[in-house]
Amino acid sequence: MLNKNDVIPLYVQLKDVLRGEIMSGKLKDNDALPSESQLMKNYSITRTTIRRAIDELVQEGLVERVHGKGVFVRLRQTRHTVWNFQSFTEYAFGKSQYPITKVLEQKVIKESNNRMLHLTRLRGVKTNRTISWLTIDTSIIPLSLFPGLEQYDFEENSLYELFRQQYKLYPHHVDIEIVPITCDHWTHKQLQLNNYDPLLQSKGSVYTENGTKIEDINIIYGPKFQFKLNQYI
Amino acid sequence: MLNKNDVIPLYVQLKDVLRGEIMSGKLKDNDALPSESQLMKNYSITRTTIRRAIDELVQEGLVERVHGKGVFVRLRQTRHTVWNFQSFTEYAFGKSQYPITKVLEQKVIKESNNRMLHLTRLRGVKTNRTISWLTIDTSIIPLSLFPGLEQYDFEENSLYELFRQQYKLYPHHVDIEIVPITCDHWTHKQLQLNNYDPLLQSKGSVYTENGTKIEDINIIYGPKFQFKLNQYI
DNA sequence: CAGTGGTCTAGACCACCCT
DNA sequence: GGGTGGTCTAGACCACTGT
């Protein structure tokens, strides 16, 4: 139930409830949300408030409205969002390829009394019998926000799925710089490249909605990775 | 005045009016929009409709709401939008630098009965007495949409300002691919580089709100250009 | 204090989809 | 037809900003 006396606006409360149901899997991809009139009864709030909440979820690219039919969960967003910073796992499944991950390094480092997980992963996709390696991802994550995260096996678990399902922290936006790099020997070997053409690297941070930094990232993109952007001016 | 019987929703009509006033310069950067109650009187529509229109302009990053004060034009958007595809001119002024442009090539080419303007420009900024060259932009623009565009001097005129002010066509979104390239001799010479480090190149198309393609672009970014991205997941 | 935007209610009419 | 979302009205109360 929603709290009408809370300082948090009702539409934000409702949005959080709905987002939670989507993220937790209670509402699955392509499922319909309860209709607006149903939500009016369930929560005893007016349609305007409900529409405001759903508007913002559309905004975030989580759901899509279909006139005369309903509002539907859309996890593989392509239209609204920009580039697949969503999650490598979701990205791969979206192209109906099977994602594979090889952990190159996983260790805990102390930085001025904060324990940080350093995780370097080689990521790729498997199609039939061939494996294509696409990126080398390095993540630095504060264990104060994610106690126990260091004990997971990241060849089996999606980092972002753990963030959301085990820790209820939802990545909301990223602040990224893109730079071109010359491939070094180690990168060349890991990505099994044929030449030393330049590559793209992105580095930056990932934040939740309220601005908490949850991850520093550094991604090297192999030449098979298309870097597409869809930008509203 | 707005037309209440039009198929176009009132909030879209109002949004277009306000955007037009901003783009045309009638409302300048940091100017306040008329207050919501003032707009209610001016257009004889309810506040909900007005808020919807302003919401979408906030969305587009054109204006910012300030509680208790008003709604203000924000042309140098940094917070909401992503990266300076707005316009090189606006980008440079936003950093209080003086933008300079050198036209490297300007010619009209016929492509299957469509006359296209090919424009290659070297772009940079001047601070005190030093000039920093930042990018090489190549634009291909259909003259059917912009009759007479070929006669402008693009060392003096901003391409996007002409689009908006002379032709009333507003760039709305871009579809871009980013690739790393190795600098060739010509690029090296034009950008006055010291070495042959890899560079970034973006190529793609620019569209209006209704999906009309108005420009094919290809931009080579020099090493002084920071490629920052602010992405909502 | 008056003026601004922020939230919410209760209702209306319409267009679309499906059966 | 009944159910869905799309638009709009007319009002209310609140929080924030300035003077």
Side-chain angles (χ1 to χ4, degrees):
Chain A
M1 270 293 102
L2 310 183
N3 180 0
K4 301 209 182 203
N5 300 318
D6 201 325
V7 286
I8 299 175
L10 285 169
Y11 73 89
V12 175
Q13 295 183 48
L14 177 58
K15 189 174 58 154
D16 287 343
V17 168
L18 294 173
R19 185 171 39 215
E21 293 185 351
I22 293 168
M23 294 304 195
S24 69
K26 189 172 161 190
L27 283 168
K28 296 185 179 52
D29 201 13
N30 298 315
D31 279 1
L33 262 56
S35 74
E36 297 181 352
S37 56
Q38 191 59 53
L39 290 170
M40 286 174 70
K41 292 175 200 154
N42 290 1
Y43 295 101
S44 306
I45 52 180
T46 52
R47 209 173 140 217
T48 314
T49 308
I50 286 158
R51 286 187 61 79
R52 172 85 192 255
I54 294 178
D55 279 345
E56 301 212 350
L57 291 174
V58 169
Q59 203 39 55
E60 295 180 14
L62 269 183
V63 301
E64 180 187 354
R65 293 181 184 282
V66 182
H67 196 167
K69 297 182 71 176
V71 179
F72 299 89
V73 177
R74 294 284 185 253
L75 287 179
R76 328 203 188 307
Q77 69 259 44
T78 46
R79 216 198 42 175
H80 198 217
T81 304
V82 173
W83 115 56
N84 301 292
F85 236 93
Q86 19 179 3
S87 145
F88 182 81
T89 313
E90 288 158 18
Y91 163 77
F93 278 127
K95 309 189 75 172
S96 38
Q97 292 174 317
Y98 191 70
I100 41 179
T101 297
K102 192 169 143 189
V103 172
L104 300 177
E105 186 180 51
Q106 180 169 354
K107 62 183 177 189
V108 176
I109 287 182
K110 231 179 175 138
E111 284 179 11
S112 57
N113 270 333
N114 296 316
R115 293 174 67 241
M116 313 291 279
L117 175 63
H118 283 234
L119 179 64
T120 302
R121 293 173 294 173
L122 185 61
R123 334 260 338 232
V125 291
K126 184 149 65 173
T127 40
N128 302 326
R129 288 196 193 110
T130 60
I131 293 178
S132 300
W133 295 112
L134 296 179
T135 70
I136 299 174
D137 296 23
T138 301
S139 298
I140 300 176
I141 305 151
L143 289 170
S144 55
L145 285 178
F146 302 95
L149 185 70
E150 70 274 22
Q151 64 196 347
Y152 284 96
D153 176 358
F154 292 103
E155 304 207 346
E156 298 303 325
N157 291 283
S158 159
L159 186 58
Y160 278 41
E161 255 176 56
L162 286 173
F163 282 0
R164 295 197 268 238
Q165 292 181 13
Q166 299 300 318
Y167 298 94
K168 305 295 178 202
L169 282 174
Y170 304 121
H172 180 256
H173 62 277
V174 298
D175 193 355
I176 291 289
E177 184 186 1
I178 302 171
V179 292
I181 57 169
T182 306
C183 183
D184 62 19
H185 292 299
W186 182 79
T187 305
H188 182 270
K189 186 182 152 199
Q190 298 295 345
L191 289 173
Q192 301 176 3
L193 303 180
N194 298 319
N195 54 51
Y196 281 84
D197 281 345
L199 299 177
L200 289 177
Q201 181 184 31
S202 68
K203 30 187 190 180
S205 305
V206 179
Y207 302 86
T208 62
E209 185 162 17
N210 63 34
T212 307
K213 190 207 282 189
I214 55 181
E215 186 189 11
D216 279 320
I217 55 176
N218 182 326
I219 305 176
I220 296 172
Y221 297 87
K224 289 175 185 164
F225 204 96
Q226 263 214 337
F227 217 91
K228 277 252 174 182
L229 222 51
N230 231 296
Q231 176 54 42
Y232 291 82
I233 301 183
Chain B
M1 269 293 102
L2 309 183
N3 178 0
K4 301 209 183 204
N5 300 318
D6 201 324
V7 286
I8 299 173
L10 285 169
Y11 74 89
V12 175
Q13 295 183 47
L14 177 58
K15 189 174 56 155
D16 288 342
V17 168
L18 293 173
R19 185 173 38 217
E21 293 186 351
I22 293 168
M23 293 305 195
S24 70
K26 190 172 161 191
L27 283 168
K28 296 186 179 51
D29 202 13
N30 298 315
D31 278 1
L33 262 56
S35 74
E36 296 181 352
S37 56
Q38 191 58 52
L39 290 169
M40 287 174 69
K41 291 175 201 154
N42 291 359
Y43 296 101
S44 306
I45 53 180
T46 51
R47 206 172 142 216
T48 313
T49 307
I50 286 158
R51 286 187 62 78
R52 171 86 192 254
I54 294 178
D55 279 344
E56 302 211 351
L57 291 174
V58 169
Q59 204 39 55
E60 295 179 14
L62 269 183
V63 300
E64 181 187 354
R65 292 180 184 284
V66 182
H67 197 167
K69 297 181 74 175
V71 179
F72 299 89
V73 177
R74 293 287 184 251
L75 287 178
R76 330 204 187 307
Q77 68 258 47
T78 46
R79 220 197 39 172
H80 198 217
T81 303
V82 175
W83 119 55
N84 302 292
F85 237 94
Q86 21 179 5
S87 147
F88 182 81
T89 313
E90 288 157 18
Y91 163 78
F93 277 126
K95 310 189 74 171
S96 36
Q97 291 173 317
Y98 191 70
I100 42 178
T101 296
K102 191 169 145 188
V103 172
L104 300 178
E105 187 180 49
Q106 181 169 352
K107 61 183 178 186
V108 177
I109 288 182
K110 235 185 171 132
E111 284 178 11
S112 58
N113 270 333
N114 297 315
R115 293 174 67 241
M116 313 290 281
L117 174 64
H118 282 235
L119 179 63
T120 301
R121 294 173 295 175
L122 184 60
R123 334 264 331 238
V125 291
K126 183 150 64 174
T127 38
N128 300 328
R129 288 195 191 112
T130 60
I131 293 177
S132 301
W133 296 111
L134 296 178
T135 69
I136 300 175
D137 296 22
T138 302
S139 299
I140 299 177
I141 304 151
L143 289 171
S144 54
L145 286 177
F146 302 95
L149 186 69
E150 71 273 22
Q151 66 196 348
Y152 284 96
D153 175 359
F154 292 102
E155 302 206 348
E156 298 303 325
N157 290 283
S158 159
L159 186 59
Y160 277 42
E161 257 177 55
L162 286 173
F163 283 180
R164 295 197 269 238
Q165 293 181 13
Q166 299 301 319
Y167 298 94
K168 306 294 180 202
L169 282 173
Y170 303 120
H172 179 258
H173 62 278
V174 299
D175 192 356
I176 290 288
E177 184 186 0
I178 303 171
V179 292
I181 57 170
T182 306
C183 183
D184 62 20
H185 290 299
W186 183 78
T187 306
H188 182 271
K189 184 181 156 202
Q190 297 295 345
L191 289 173
Q192 301 176 3
L193 304 180
N194 299 320
N195 55 48
Y196 281 84
D197 281 344
L199 299 178
L200 288 176
Q201 180 185 32
S202 67
K203 30 187 191 178
S205 305
V206 180
Y207 302 87
T208 61
E209 185 162 16
N210 64 35
T212 307
K213 190 206 283 188
I214 54 180
E215 186 188 12
D216 278 320
I217 54 175
N218 182 327
I219 305 175
I220 296 172
Y221 297 87
K224 289 175 185 165
F225 205 94
Q226 262 215 336
F227 217 91
K228 277 254 176 183
L229 221 51
N230 231 297
Q231 176 55 41
Y232 289 81
I233 301 183

